[in-house]
Amino acid sequence: MRKFIIGNWKMNGLSCDLDEIVTISAVAQLHTSVDSALCVPATLIERAVKAVGAFPIGGQDCHMHKSGAHTGCVSGDMLSDAGAVLTIIGHSERRAAQQEQDSDIRAKAEAAQAAGLKAILCVGETLEEREAGKALEIVLGQVAHSLPDAAAGGWLSVAYEPVWAIGTGRVAEPADVAEMHAAIRASLVARFGAEGEKIRILYGGSMNGDNAAILLAVPNVDGGLIGGASLTAAKFQPILAAAQAKGE
Ligand code: PGA
């Protein structure tokens, strides 16, 4: 399976950062054995799309309804209309701060698919849940309840992001990543049959140029969702290079 490396700019990026987006897209496209994309703030999507040509630009959330009285929200049709081709769904920062539930995330994923978008659906346990020995139970519960029944077919990827590893510089141990990704794979195959083998499972949480080669070598790690290390081409490039090396 080709590795999928996605940058998540979160709430970072102004007009003055468009040049960096162009540089990132140019560098990413040199890594021809890797699928890559950049998820930017909604305010930058249209300008980023115009600036980068064929490189995939995404959003970071998608409302479950097509339109209506939802002040401040962005629908799948709006993302698509702005030129986005993918969106992150159910990031733990939104699960925590916006109290998004698995049922919301499932509806959002269905809305993204209806709008013709690829979806990166995030799951992951908190530190308390891991320390209580509940990481597998929590994450497999999220996978079971937030993935739509139509998740197979290539439009959806799962991103396993342990909450305690996001933005902390603390990376999950490869053995723990291997255990979790194998468990997610088994649950995908149990639910979707052979198609479940083809759903990409990404790792996210403090992935950077120093640890990407190790993480991307773990069985069932089909790519990465990258926050801080996607903000500059200089930091993002070594991750793309590590993915490229696995794809050759
Ligand atoms: P990080 O963020 O790489 O900065 O830890 C990853 C994410 O939240 O998607």
mmCIF file of all heavy atoms in Angstrom, residues 1 7 27 34 36 45 49 52 58 83 87 103 106 111 144 147 162 165 178 188-189 204 210 223 236 241:
data_model
loop_
_atom_site.group_PDB
_atom_site.id
_atom_site.type_symbol
_atom_site.label_atom_id
_atom_site.label_comp_id
_atom_site.label_asym_id
_atom_site.label_seq_id
_atom_site.Cartn_x
_atom_site.Cartn_y
_atom_site.Cartn_z
ATOM 1 N N MET A 1 0.855 -1.201 0.000
ATOM 2 C CA MET A 1 0.000 0.000 0.000
ATOM 3 C C MET A 1 0.890 1.251 0.000
ATOM 4 O O MET A 1 1.845 1.323 0.761
ATOM 5 C CB MET A 1 -0.873 -0.034 1.256
ATOM 6 C CG MET A 1 -2.146 0.666 1.037
ATOM 7 S SD MET A 1 -3.596 0.138 1.984
ATOM 8 C CE MET A 1 -3.102 -0.776 3.381
ATOM 9 N N GLY A 7 -0.417 16.632 6.151
ATOM 10 C CA GLY A 7 -0.137 17.704 7.102
ATOM 11 C C GLY A 7 -1.432 18.292 7.632
ATOM 12 O O GLY A 7 -2.414 18.432 6.893
ATOM 13 N N VAL A 27 7.628 20.378 -2.787
ATOM 14 C CA VAL A 27 8.510 19.358 -2.198
ATOM 15 C C VAL A 27 7.767 18.011 -2.146
ATOM 16 O O VAL A 27 8.327 16.962 -2.494
ATOM 17 C CB VAL A 27 8.959 19.802 -0.788
ATOM 18 C CG1 VAL A 27 9.575 18.652 -0.019
ATOM 19 C CG2 VAL A 27 9.937 20.968 -0.890
ATOM 20 N N VAL A 34 4.753 8.430 -2.822
ATOM 21 C CA VAL A 34 3.973 8.732 -1.623
ATOM 22 C C VAL A 34 2.723 9.511 -2.028
ATOM 23 O O VAL A 34 2.785 10.375 -2.897
ATOM 24 C CB VAL A 34 4.808 9.613 -0.658
ATOM 25 C CG1 VAL A 34 4.032 9.930 0.613
ATOM 26 C CG2 VAL A 34 6.136 8.960 -0.336
ATOM 27 N N SER A 36 0.323 12.377 -0.705
ATOM 28 C CA SER A 36 0.436 13.404 0.326
ATOM 29 C C SER A 36 -0.644 14.454 0.130
ATOM 30 O O SER A 36 -1.247 14.553 -0.942
ATOM 31 C CB SER A 36 1.829 14.043 0.310
ATOM 32 O OG SER A 36 2.130 14.524 -0.973
ATOM 33 N N ILE A 45 -8.267 27.652 2.203
ATOM 34 C CA ILE A 45 -8.414 26.541 1.250
ATOM 35 C C ILE A 45 -8.408 27.038 -0.196
ATOM 36 O O ILE A 45 -7.625 26.578 -1.028
ATOM 37 C CB ILE A 45 -9.693 25.722 1.545
ATOM 38 C CG1 ILE A 45 -9.536 24.947 2.854
ATOM 39 C CG2 ILE A 45 -9.983 24.752 0.401
ATOM 40 C CD1 ILE A 45 -10.802 24.242 3.316
ATOM 41 N N VAL A 49 -5.582 26.179 -2.904
ATOM 42 C CA VAL A 49 -5.883 25.356 -4.084
ATOM 43 C C VAL A 49 -5.421 26.066 -5.355
ATOM 44 O O VAL A 49 -4.799 25.456 -6.240
ATOM 45 C CB VAL A 49 -7.402 25.045 -4.140
ATOM 46 C CG1 VAL A 49 -7.804 24.477 -5.487
ATOM 47 C CG2 VAL A 49 -7.787 24.089 -3.021
ATOM 48 N N VAL A 52 -1.442 25.924 -5.565
ATOM 49 C CA VAL A 52 -0.625 24.696 -5.614
ATOM 50 C C VAL A 52 -0.898 23.794 -6.817
ATOM 51 O O VAL A 52 -0.249 22.760 -6.960
ATOM 52 C CB VAL A 52 -0.786 23.845 -4.329
ATOM 53 C CG1 VAL A 52 -0.391 24.651 -3.108
ATOM 54 C CG2 VAL A 52 -2.202 23.297 -4.205
ATOM 55 N N GLY A 58 -6.892 20.017 1.813
ATOM 56 C CA GLY A 58 -8.055 19.561 2.558
ATOM 57 C C GLY A 58 -8.471 20.531 3.651
ATOM 58 O O GLY A 58 -7.732 21.453 4.005
ATOM 59 N N GLY A 83 -12.572 23.871 -3.360
ATOM 60 C CA GLY A 83 -11.497 23.140 -4.041
ATOM 61 C C GLY A 83 -10.828 22.070 -3.204
ATOM 62 O O GLY A 83 -9.904 21.407 -3.666
ATOM 63 N N THR A 87 -10.910 15.881 3.880
ATOM 64 C CA THR A 87 -11.060 16.583 5.157
ATOM 65 C C THR A 87 -10.741 15.638 6.317
ATOM 66 O O THR A 87 -10.980 14.426 6.233
ATOM 67 C CB THR A 87 -12.474 17.181 5.333
ATOM 68 O OG1 THR A 87 -12.495 17.955 6.537
ATOM 69 C CG2 THR A 87 -13.563 16.116 5.423
ATOM 70 N N SER A 103 -21.171 9.340 17.146
ATOM 71 C CA SER A 103 -22.299 9.423 16.208
ATOM 72 C C SER A 103 -22.207 10.681 15.337
ATOM 73 O O SER A 103 -22.556 10.663 14.156
ATOM 74 C CB SER A 103 -23.625 9.401 16.971
ATOM 75 O OG SER A 103 -23.632 10.427 17.944
ATOM 76 N N ARG A 106 -19.415 9.979 12.739
ATOM 77 C CA ARG A 106 -19.926 9.084 11.684
ATOM 78 C C ARG A 106 -20.768 9.879 10.683
ATOM 79 O O ARG A 106 -20.612 9.742 9.457
ATOM 80 C CB ARG A 106 -20.761 7.989 12.350
ATOM 81 C CG ARG A 106 -21.328 6.974 11.416
ATOM 82 C CD ARG A 106 -22.142 5.952 12.221
ATOM 83 N NE ARG A 106 -22.850 5.083 11.303
ATOM 84 C CZ ARG A 106 -22.790 3.758 11.327
ATOM 85 N NH1 ARG A 106 -22.086 3.137 12.231
ATOM 86 N NH2 ARG A 106 -23.460 3.034 10.464
ATOM 87 N N ALA A 111 -21.270 12.743 5.459
ATOM 88 C CA ALA A 111 -21.464 14.012 4.738
ATOM 89 C C ALA A 111 -20.264 14.304 3.837
ATOM 90 O O ALA A 111 -20.421 14.798 2.717
ATOM 91 C CB ALA A 111 -21.676 15.147 5.738
ATOM 92 N N ALA A 144 -15.504 1.305 15.821
ATOM 93 C CA ALA A 144 -16.795 0.642 15.560
ATOM 94 C C ALA A 144 -17.920 1.655 15.388
ATOM 95 O O ALA A 144 -18.782 1.496 14.526
ATOM 96 C CB ALA A 144 -17.120 -0.324 16.697
ATOM 97 N N LEU A 147 -16.977 4.941 12.342
ATOM 98 C CA LEU A 147 -16.840 4.657 10.910
ATOM 99 C C LEU A 147 -18.208 4.324 10.314
ATOM 100 O O LEU A 147 -18.941 3.503 10.866
ATOM 101 C CB LEU A 147 -15.908 3.450 10.669
ATOM 102 C CG LEU A 147 -14.467 3.802 10.297
ATOM 103 C CD1 LEU A 147 -13.751 4.443 11.453
ATOM 104 C CD2 LEU A 147 -13.730 2.591 9.782
ATOM 105 N N PRO A 162 -2.861 8.767 19.520
ATOM 106 C CA PRO A 162 -2.981 8.796 20.970
ATOM 107 C C PRO A 162 -2.946 10.254 21.447
ATOM 108 O O PRO A 162 -2.034 11.001 21.073
ATOM 109 C CB PRO A 162 -1.757 8.013 21.458
ATOM 110 C CG PRO A 162 -0.899 7.738 20.269
ATOM 111 C CD PRO A 162 -1.665 8.064 19.039
ATOM 112 N N ALA A 165 0.102 11.929 22.787
ATOM 113 C CA ALA A 165 1.272 12.076 21.904
ATOM 114 C C ALA A 165 1.137 13.282 20.977
ATOM 115 O O ALA A 165 2.078 13.621 20.271
ATOM 116 C CB ALA A 165 1.465 10.812 21.074
ATOM 117 N N ALA A 178 2.233 -0.879 16.978
ATOM 118 C CA ALA A 178 1.999 -2.140 16.257
ATOM 119 C C ALA A 178 0.775 -2.858 16.807
ATOM 120 O O ALA A 178 -0.075 -3.354 16.049
ATOM 121 C CB ALA A 178 3.231 -3.040 16.365
ATOM 122 N N LEU A 188 -11.297 -3.857 11.191
ATOM 123 C CA LEU A 188 -11.728 -3.438 9.845
ATOM 124 C C LEU A 188 -12.007 -4.668 8.974
ATOM 125 O O LEU A 188 -12.989 -4.691 8.217
ATOM 126 C CB LEU A 188 -10.651 -2.562 9.188
ATOM 127 C CG LEU A 188 -10.393 -1.197 9.849
ATOM 128 C CD1 LEU A 188 -9.239 -0.480 9.144
ATOM 129 C CD2 LEU A 188 -11.645 -0.326 9.842
ATOM 130 N N VAL A 189 -11.153 -5.688 9.105
ATOM 131 C CA VAL A 189 -11.345 -6.886 8.294
ATOM 132 C C VAL A 189 -12.596 -7.644 8.761
ATOM 133 O O VAL A 189 -13.372 -8.157 7.946
ATOM 134 C CB VAL A 189 -10.078 -7.778 8.348
ATOM 135 C CG1 VAL A 189 -10.334 -9.138 7.714
ATOM 136 C CG2 VAL A 189 -8.914 -7.072 7.647
ATOM 137 N N GLY A 204 -0.593 9.228 14.041
ATOM 138 C CA GLY A 204 -0.364 10.654 14.281
ATOM 139 C C GLY A 204 -0.031 10.897 15.735
ATOM 140 O O GLY A 204 -0.532 10.197 16.633
ATOM 141 N N ASP A 210 12.812 12.714 12.684
ATOM 142 C CA ASP A 210 13.684 11.801 13.434
ATOM 143 C C ASP A 210 13.031 10.438 13.686
ATOM 144 O O ASP A 210 13.724 9.434 13.810
ATOM 145 C CB ASP A 210 14.063 12.412 14.794
ATOM 146 C CG ASP A 210 14.920 13.651 14.626
ATOM 147 O OD1 ASP A 210 15.633 13.734 13.592
ATOM 148 O OD2 ASP A 210 14.868 14.537 15.498
ATOM 149 N N GLY A 223 0.848 5.343 6.874
ATOM 150 C CA GLY A 223 1.109 6.758 6.649
ATOM 151 C C GLY A 223 1.079 7.519 7.954
ATOM 152 O O GLY A 223 1.097 6.908 9.034
ATOM 153 N N PHE A 236 8.754 19.017 7.090
ATOM 154 C CA PHE A 236 7.866 18.017 6.482
ATOM 155 C C PHE A 236 8.647 17.093 5.545
ATOM 156 O O PHE A 236 8.348 15.895 5.442
ATOM 157 C CB PHE A 236 6.758 18.755 5.731
ATOM 158 C CG PHE A 236 5.498 17.969 5.465
ATOM 159 C CD1 PHE A 236 4.955 17.105 6.410
ATOM 160 C CD2 PHE A 236 4.812 18.119 4.262
ATOM 161 C CE1 PHE A 236 3.780 16.408 6.166
ATOM 162 C CE2 PHE A 236 3.633 17.427 4.000
ATOM 163 C CZ PHE A 236 3.125 16.567 4.957
ATOM 164 N N ALA A 241 10.383 11.889 2.827
ATOM 165 C CA ALA A 241 11.514 11.077 2.366
ATOM 166 C C ALA A 241 11.484 9.694 3.009
ATOM 167 O O ALA A 241 11.754 8.674 2.352
ATOM 168 C CB ALA A 241 12.830 11.789 2.651
#
